[in-house]
Amino acid sequence: MSTPDDPTDDEVVQTAAEAAEDVVFSRFSRSDVEDFDVTVSFEDGVLEVDVYINASGGTADPDRVADDAALAARAAVDDLLE
């Protein structure tokens, strides 16, 4: 049951998206990233996060960074909901 202090679904989605983006751009410079997409949904208490990165430069593995970004998004939402 939600209370007035609970974050809105939009706040949850925004928090997750910002955390994922922060991870992506902490590992890649903006000029190295050709395309990226963060898709977040939060419905009925279920968080879905999908991160796609197409990066041509840098030394980081885009798939690993995408996984780390999704984990960071989930962790940020956990912190928000505590």
Side-chain angles (χ1 to χ4, degrees), residues 3-72:
T3 67
D5 293 333
D6 287 344
T8 66
D9 289 357
D10 287 342
E11 290 171 321
V12 170
V13 168
Q14 186 66 32
T15 296
E18 288 173 359
E21 186 173 340
D22 287 348
V23 169
V24 170
F25 291 113
S26 73
R27 309 272 180 88
F28 290 106
S29 71
R30 291 192 180 269
S31 62
D32 288 338
V33 177
E34 295 175 21
D35 186 27
F36 86 102
D37 183 54
V38 177
T39 305
V40 180
S41 66
F42 185 70
E43 296 179 21
D44 299 324
V46 177
L47 180 69
E48 296 283 334
V49 180
D50 184 45
V51 180
Y52 163 79
I53 304 168
N54 180 4
S56 61
T59 58
D61 174 24
D63 291 332
R64 178 66 188 180
V65 174
D67 289 344
D68 290 349
L71 288 171

Side-chain angles (χ1 to χ4, degrees), residues 69-82:
L71 288 171
R74 289 181 182 93
V77 169
D78 286 346
D79 289 346
L80 180 68
L81 296 176
E82 288 184 346

